[in-house]
Amino acid sequence: MGGLFAAAFLQRIGWEAHVYERTGDDLATRGAGLGTHDALLEGLRALGIDTGERLGVLVRDRICLARDGKVVARRTLPQVMTHWARIYEALRPLVDGAHFHAGHNFTGHRRVGAQAVAQFEDGTEAAGDLLIAADGLRSTMRPQLLPEAQPRYAGYVGWRGTVKGIDLPPEYYFGLPGSEMMLTYPVPTGEWNYVWYRPTTERELADLCTDATGHCHGTAIAPPLIRAGLAARLKRDARELLAPQLATIVEGSQPFFQAIFDLESPRVAHGRIVLMGDCAFVARPHVGMGVTKASLDARCLAHSLEVSKDLDAALERYDRMRCEFGRWCVERSRAIGAYIERRELPDPERVLSDVGAVRADIPMSY
Ligand SMILES: Cc1cc2nc3c(=O)[nH]c(=O)nc-3n(C[C@H](O)[C@H](O)[C@H](O)COP(=O)(O)OP(=O)(O)OC[C@H]3O[C@@H](n4cnc5c(N)ncnc54)[C@H](O)[C@@H]3O)c2cc1C
């Protein structure tokens, strides 16, 4: 997403931008739900993308349900919820085939004069005035520049899934069993998306990431390799711990999970290389900022190049603004998830208001 946003915004100010993507297959078949923010919608419109009805579903209320299905807290806070693929499909055509290079696995970089050169696994290289690393949480670039900036495991995972055929009024629901947090909302594909945050020790995470052959994949595992017994256990827990309306959603899904990490980079501009999106800062998903942050990073880079007198001044501006914003996102998301990490009991009113407040407070500057 960050790479596509960057290419699209840079093209608009007259730069030639190429995107190199490791994956060869169609990414639009992946992803799940995400919340939008005004900054994201405004950024999409600035790129000429229609943010009308097809993009998202408007939910008005946030409702917390107790185990017996009764409402324990409610707050009105309209938000458009979308699907990752809807944004990806809107952005992808903005970069034409001559500038989008699928199946290119970035491995290293070097400098040649004032130019930065990206090196790929197949032995090819690409040189430019600027090299933008938008290769996500598990970046190949970041450890080469900032070996000390390591993702920190937050002590819990988010089980996720989508399911069709749910008959619930289209609102944003929460369930808060013990020190956990389950949330669910409708997305424009006609499905319901859920995320269920559950405290998980490092040892338990290693077990979740172990496939049926006994091989442990580290701290992440491809969804098809998740052991069937783990999904069955999640569904059993859903029946025991969640409101019946929420349990049905988990039971009807094919669950997968992501471990939750915090990541902060001390700098995001390094000579002619910049870090962007999840490569630079990762905030826990409670602030729902992943895509919005990537769009603001890209917009800030293009704006800095447009308004600054030279490239170095532009990159300094980018570095200052994105570090400030990235730290804000990480801090806010950490505060919302702190009770899960500490295994404390949450106050439902407080959870709804903290999650909601982020939308109003986001610094939109770029
Ligand atoms: C397929 C997919 C589905 C997602 N679904 C959701 C979702 O449903 N909800 C949500 O909130 N967030 C989702 N995300 C995460 C979300 O896109 C990011 O949090 C956010 O958009 C920041 O984007 P990013 O570009 O910084 O990182 P990412 O979106 O993670 O993109 C990084 C990209 O870099 C590529 N890459 C990694 N290493 C290399 C390399 N060495 N060489 C070349 N390319 C490389 C990856 O294949 C990926 O396409 C998804 C990400 C992906 C890739």
Side-chain angles (χ1 to χ4, degrees), residues 1-3 20-23 27 30-34 84 104-106 134-136 140 160 276-279 290-291 294:
M1 257 347 163
Y20 294 86
E21 164 59 46
R22 173 171 61 193
T23 310
L27 290 173
R30 307 199 197 170
L34 54 98
W84 188 87
H104 275 69
N105 187 22
F106 168 81
D135 55 347
T140 304
R160 315 191 59 164
M276 178 172 289
D278 285 0
C279 166
V291 177

Side-chain angles (χ1 to χ4, degrees), residues 325-346:
F325 183 69
R327 282 194 284 268
W328 182 90
C329 293
V330 173
E331 200 180 300
R332 283 302 283 267
S333 66
R334 196 185 275 145
I336 295 172
Y339 83 85
I340 311 174
E341 188 176 352
R342 293 196 216 112
R343 301 186 180 220
E344 292 167 354
L345 292 182

Side-chain angles (χ1 to χ4, degrees), residues 12 167 204 214 264:
R12 290 180 84 82
D167 185 22
E204 287 164 343
E264 293 182 64

Side-chain angles (χ1 to χ4, degrees), residues 12-328:
R12 290 180 84 82
I13 58 160
W15 280 58
E16 181 172 5
H18 289 260
V19 177
Y20 294 86
E21 164 59 46
R22 173 171 61 193
T23 310
D25 54 334
D26 181 11
L27 290 173
T29 56
R30 307 199 197 170
L34 54 98
T36 68
H37 302 96
D38 292 346
L40 173 63
L41 299 175
E42 204 215 292
L44 292 170
R45 285 195 288 270
L47 294 172
I49 292 169
D50 178 9
T51 56
E53 268 176 27
R54 214 189 99 78
L55 190 81
V57 176
L58 179 68
V59 296
R60 292 192 182 280
D61 283 3
R62 284 161 201 245
I63 299 168
C64 185
L65 299 176
R67 164 72 187 87
D68 62 4
K70 294 210 176 93
V71 175
V72 287
R74 177 190 285 263
R75 206 160 253 267
T76 298
L77 195 94
Q79 185 173 14
V80 174
M81 313 310 289
T82 186
H83 194 284
W84 188 87
R86 285 287 155 97
I87 310 256
Y88 179 80
E89 283 163 353
L91 282 175
R92 180 62 194 82
L94 300 185
V95 183
D96 66 28
H99 292 86
F100 189 91
H101 311 273
H104 275 69
N105 187 22
F106 168 81
T107 50
H109 69 281
R110 61 192 179 94
R111 273 177 57 172
V112 177
Q115 292 220 306
V117 180
Q119 301 167 313
F120 301 99
E121 195 178 16
D122 62 3
T124 57
E125 293 189 333
D129 296 317
L130 194 55
L131 174 52
I132 301 167
D135 55 347
L137 170 68
R138 292 167 205 287
S139 167
T140 304
M141 176 64 97
R142 190 185 53 248
Q144 296 180 18
L145 299 172
L146 296 167
E148 74 281 16
Q150 295 289 336
R152 191 189 75 84
Y153 178 51
Y156 55 102
V157 305
W159 279 93
R160 315 191 59 164
T162 50
V163 61
K164 272 198 159 64
I166 297 297
D167 185 22
L168 261 181
E171 307 289 4
Y172 193 148
Y173 297 93
F174 286 76
L176 302 173
S179 59
E180 309 188 6
M181 182 197 296
M182 190 274 192
L183 56 91
T184 182
Y185 51 80
V187 290
T189 49
E191 296 161 301
W192 282 72
N193 175 77
Y194 74 88
V195 190
W196 186 359
Y197 299 104
R198 312 199 75 187
T200 304
T201 62
E202 289 192 25
R203 183 189 286 231
E204 287 164 343
L205 176 60
D207 177 57
L208 295 184
C209 294
T210 300
D211 66 25
T213 70
H215 173 66
C216 178
H217 295 254
T219 56
I221 181 170
L225 299 180
I226 296 174
R227 301 191 320 270
L230 297 176
R233 191 166 79 199
L234 187 81
K235 293 178 185 189
R236 211 169 45 237
D237 290 353
R239 280 192 295 276
E240 245 170 59
L241 301 173
L242 298 174
Q245 304 94 308
L246 307 183
T248 310
I249 292 173
V250 177
E251 284 183 278
S253 73
Q254 180 60 57
F256 60 98
F257 66 88
Q258 72 184 94
I260 306 302
F261 289 94
D262 298 318
L263 170 78
E264 293 182 64
S265 294
R267 279 190 70 76
V268 295
H270 304 258
R272 294 296 156 91
I273 302 171
V274 295
L275 310 186
M276 178 172 289
D278 285 0
C279 166
F281 287 87
V282 174
R284 302 181 192 182
H286 311 300
V287 289
M289 285 290 287
V291 177
T292 299
K293 182 163 69 63
S295 75
L296 280 168
D297 286 357
R299 205 167 180 192
C300 179
L301 180 62
H303 190 62
S304 301
L305 292 169
E306 206 176 16
V307 299
S308 300
K309 56 186 181 316
D310 62 32
L311 190 50
D312 291 332
L315 299 185
E316 250 183 68
R317 179 182 186 276
Y318 174 81
D319 185 80
R320 181 172 40 78
M321 294 191 71
R322 295 345 282 164
C323 283
E324 212 171 278
F325 183 69
R327 282 194 284 268
W328 182 90

